[in-house]
DNA sequence: CTGAAAGCGCTTACAG
DNA sequence: CTGAAAGCGCTTACAG
């Protein structure tokens, strides 16, 4: 790969490299004829600047890291599409990392990003993230970071969530109006921010409807589908089983379907289900799934817009320390009784 | 962000930068005591080498570009998980690009990668990709490139596919044994490689079973769900409508479900469906979907393994010009009559 | 075993 | 308007 460099162009054109560089960057200091000559040759030879030389010199990389806890997930895919659509227009590149919900991996990934590899980070923390010193390091180093969905309220930066408390409340209320009185809340173990808010909404809805809450209704699940199916199956075969389930995450709704089938129960007759989910085919499931869906693409776009705004300014003002809320939508379908 | 550099460490330690660099890289030329001192301080100050300085110097970036035509797609997500799991172990980073099935965007993305930004490319081409000069440029520049699924046979490099001909044949045969005699083949417009192979298998299966093929059975769809639903609906309301559908891509199966519902037809009674799809919840659809699923994660892993093998060698032998085939699995469910 | 020097490909302050 | 020089943070061939 014999690369075309500025030096090479300069030789061919019998100019100084500095002149070529300035012409390429359309500097006001360079005459039009010179610019024309340089551009012409650059195009002919398909000159592409070496991004790393530029990054080293400029101390910026024009790349952004996106860190998510799970890749096979419509919500995150949609968020990333939103991010990419914006950053691409600004000539930014996206470095992508999946933590697999593993805090150790998350720390390691963060450590790779600490020396100029990226100009900013957009991130949804893993469900294991309770200690946050690695995230504090990012912030204290001055590396811009934005959180979405699974946020980190302790870090004073811009964060995007949806109205999780309200959605949890409404979803629970919906189940209650459909006749449920024993409602299980499924969540991932130790899940932060979103789980907490959704849970609060759920509990307050129960309280508002004078349903006496039992501790056993909060069910900590894991990331292994088979384990979750078995756990939920067990719960469903108990004599005083629940009549409603609120799944705080899509994968737990899937596990519920499997458990219901396994126990040969009928949904929504025996058990009703609502889940947070951005699945596009929720309406094609058997029975169709009542979902609370988040405006994922818009969230991604907004993250990127804020970042682009910050990074494009000469004097980069700090990202505002604020948590912005997008509205989720509840789509009532058969799984909850329609 | 005041960065810790080698120069800074060298000053603190009263050594030369070259010594520090060598100690950090565990060079045999450096004494153990010196290494210990350097490593100690580096750890204390949490030194992270500047990746771009190193890339510029070494002419390698330790990053790989992954280019896919669509992000909200289980198949691609699984492939990428496979790629990442391997590359991460080798300290490589992943730059990710979604072409949205747009050849112009694909060309643009490729052009960004031509000057050392990445050490290699893993790619699935867009369905619009008929001209391939941009891919030829990549190859001729000596930038390693591997294709998967939607491959580019004209480029002499390693390519990964599944047994698409065979799967198309078997899927068609399956529909025939379930009583279908008018089988529609849905494909994305001008789709390359995979579409072609699957289509060949389909046609040969018809021929083998002495079914006289009609041109109108090959239906070119697009990327707009609504348009596809309408097109398929139209076809389904014709008096001599098909009794079987083979969807070469998951999104066309989804559109078929919607069209069937819209026309108030019943699947599998009125119409039977088989689709290529890596959807994990195909069994939960109404009716459950008969799928041909590809070993996506394994394909991703294999792409990455080949690349790592190549890139880790001092003398990098060319990627073998060979097309390797992974076996897909047919999962028979209700949509095709069980 | 350690150090001084050159250079990767850029950009920009400084001269002229 | 153009050029020579320095420097971004590394690594390595060359000395000693």
């Amino acid at each position: 790969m014999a690369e075309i460099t500025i030096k090479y162009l300069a030789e061919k054109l019998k100019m100084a490299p500095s002149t070529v560089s300035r012409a390429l960057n359309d500097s006001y200091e360079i005459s039009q004829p010179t610019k024309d000559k340089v551009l012409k040759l650059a195009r002919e030879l398909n000159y592409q600047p070496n991004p790393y030389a530029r990054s080293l010199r400029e101390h910026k990389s024009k790349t952004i890291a996106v860190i998510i806890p799970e890749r096979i997930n419509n919500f995150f895919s949609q968020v990333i599409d939103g991010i990419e659509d914006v950053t691409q227009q600004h000539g930014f590149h996206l470095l992508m990392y999946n933590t697999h919900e593993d805090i150790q991996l998350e720390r390691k990934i963060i450590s790779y990003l600490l020396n100029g590899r990226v100009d900013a980070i957009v991130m949804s923390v893993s469900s294991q993230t309770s200690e946050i010193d690695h995230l504090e390091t990012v912030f204290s180093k001055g590396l811009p970071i934005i959180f979405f969905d699974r946020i980190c309220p302790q870090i004073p930066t811009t964060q995007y969530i949806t109205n999780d408390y309200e959605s949890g409340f409404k979803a629970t209320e919906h189940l209650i109006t459909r006749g449920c009185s024993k409602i299980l809340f499924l969540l991932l173990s130790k899940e932060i921010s979103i789980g907490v808010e959704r849970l609060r909404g759920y509990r307050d809805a129960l309280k508002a409807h004078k349903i006496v809450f039992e501790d056993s209704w909060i069910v900590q699940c894991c990331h292994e589908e088979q384990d979750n199916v078995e756990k939920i199956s067990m719960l469903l075969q108990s004599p005083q089983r629940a009549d409603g389930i609120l799944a705080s995450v899509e994968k737990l709704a899937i596990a519920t379907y499997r458990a219901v089938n396994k126990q040969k129960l009928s949904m929504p007759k025996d058990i009703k289900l609502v889940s947070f989910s951005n699945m596009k085919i929720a309406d094609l499931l058997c029975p169709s799934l009542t979902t609370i869906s988040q405006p994922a693409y818009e969230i991604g776009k907004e993250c990127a817009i804020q970042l682009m705004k910050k990074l494009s300014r000469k004097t980069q003002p700090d990202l505002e320390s604020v948590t912005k809320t997008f509205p989720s939508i509840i789509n009532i379908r058969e799984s909850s009784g329609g």
Side-chain angles (χ1 to χ4, degrees), chain A:
Chain A
M1 269 203 285
E3 301 295 355
I4 314 291
T5 67
I6 282 187
K7 202 172 145 196
Y8 180 82
L9 294 180
E11 270 171 30
K12 287 280 165 203
L13 292 161
K14 298 197 198 308
M15 293 178 189
S18 45
T19 305
V20 175
S21 171
R22 278 188 274 244
L24 253 13
N25 291 319
D26 200 24
S27 161
Y28 68 97
E29 299 174 285
I30 302 294
S31 72
Q32 199 54 51
T34 304
K35 280 184 187 172
D36 291 344
K37 264 184 273 179
V38 172
L39 266 306
K40 183 161 171 291
L41 186 64
R43 252 194 285 275
E44 271 175 32
L45 299 181
N46 194 23
Y47 167 75
Q48 295 288 341
N50 180 310
Y52 298 134
R54 185 176 278 174
S55 293
L56 177 59
R57 176 60 220 237
E58 305 257 88
H59 286 287
K60 48 190 184 186
S61 61
K62 282 250 178 184
T63 106
I64 288 178
V66 179
I67 306 179
I68 55 170
E70 185 178 48
R71 196 184 323 268
I72 304 172
N73 179 313
N74 286 301
F75 173 75
F76 291 117
S77 295
Q78 290 167 242
V79 170
I80 297 170
D81 264 352
I83 294 172
E84 188 179 32
D85 284 355
V86 171
T87 53
Q88 204 158 65
Q89 291 184 321
H90 293 257
F92 275 73
H93 297 254
L94 252 33
L95 234 24
M96 220 89 92
Y97 302 90
N98 177 358
T99 63
H100 296 272
E101 305 274 13
D102 177 349
I103 174 77
Q104 292 311 332
L105 189 49
E106 184 180 290
R107 303 183 93 93
K108 210 158 148 190
I109 290 165
I110 289 284
S111 78
Y112 296 146
L113 306 177
L114 253 24
N115 218 322
R117 190 182 293 273
V118 296
D119 296 339
I121 298 175
V122 181
M123 168 167 198
S124 206
V125 305
S126 93
S127 59
Q128 290 182 0
T129 304
S130 45
E131 287 168 34
I132 59 159
D133 52 293
H134 56 305
L135 304 177
E136 275 164 349
T137 305
V138 170
F139 186 79
S140 67
K141 277 219 161 201
L143 179 56
I145 184 165
I146 283 188
F147 295 94
F148 69 92
D149 196 47
R150 307 207 195 158
I151 63 175
C152 187
Q154 300 94 320
I155 310 280
T157 184
T158 304
Q159 323 227 6
Y160 293 96
I161 50 170
T162 46
N163 52 349
D164 290 303
Y165 172 84
E166 194 185 322
S167 300
F169 192 101
K170 281 196 182 160
T172 308
E173 207 160 41
H174 169 66
L175 285 169
I176 294 169
T177 64
R178 289 301 180 275
C180 298
S181 59
K182 279 180 284 187
I183 302 173
L184 284 186
F185 186 92
L186 309 183
L187 82 170
L188 290 180
S189 60
K190 297 182 221 136
E191 191 184 9
I192 74 163
S193 67
I194 50 165
V196 174
E197 285 302 301
R198 291 170 186 179
L199 184 57
R200 270 187 51 226
Y202 157 76
R203 296 201 50 169
D204 282 1
L206 293 180
K207 201 182 294 175
H209 287 264
K210 306 220 172 10
I211 293 180
V212 182
F213 165 78
E214 294 182 23
D215 283 338
S216 64
W217 293 357
I218 296 183
V219 182
Q220 300 248 335
C221 299
C222 66
H223 297 291
E224 280 304 316
E225 171 157 312
Q226 205 39 54
D227 294 353
N228 291 334
V229 172
E230 270 160 37
K231 187 164 206 167
I232 299 168
S233 294
M234 287 271 292
L235 295 167
L236 288 179
Q237 66 190 14
S238 117
Q240 36 182 344
R241 61 170 174 72
D243 49 16
I245 288 182
L246 175 51
S248 66
V249 170
E250 180 178 297
K251 67 166 67 166
L252 301 180
I254 307 295
T256 301
Y257 271 83
R258 299 233 145 87
V260 167
N261 289 344
K262 198 173 167 191
Q263 296 303 316
K264 304 233 189 323
L265 292 170
S266 139
M267 193 149 73
K269 195 166 71 64
D270 303 319
I271 181 106
K272 297 182 176 52
L273 172 66
V274 176
S275 179
F276 285 80
S277 164
N278 270 51
M279 194 191 302
K280 290 195 161 177
I281 52 169
D283 62 314
L284 298 179
L285 293 186
C286 226
S288 62
L289 174 63
T290 294
T291 58
I292 296 146
S293 62
Q294 302 171 274
Y297 179 80
E298 287 70 24
I299 291 175
K301 256 183 110 162
E302 192 56 30
C303 288
I305 287 172
Q306 287 310 318
L307 239 30
M308 293 299 98
K309 199 185 284 182
K310 175 179 169 59
L311 296 176
S312 63
R313 295 215 190 128
K314 277 281 168 221
T315 131
Q316 295 186 7
D318 282 350
L319 286 166
E320 222 184 327
S321 172
V322 60
T323 300
K324 294 188 190 165
T325 306
F326 280 73
S328 290
I329 293 169
I330 181 161
N331 307 282
I332 296 176
R333 300 201 183 88
E334 295 164 24
S335 70
S336 61

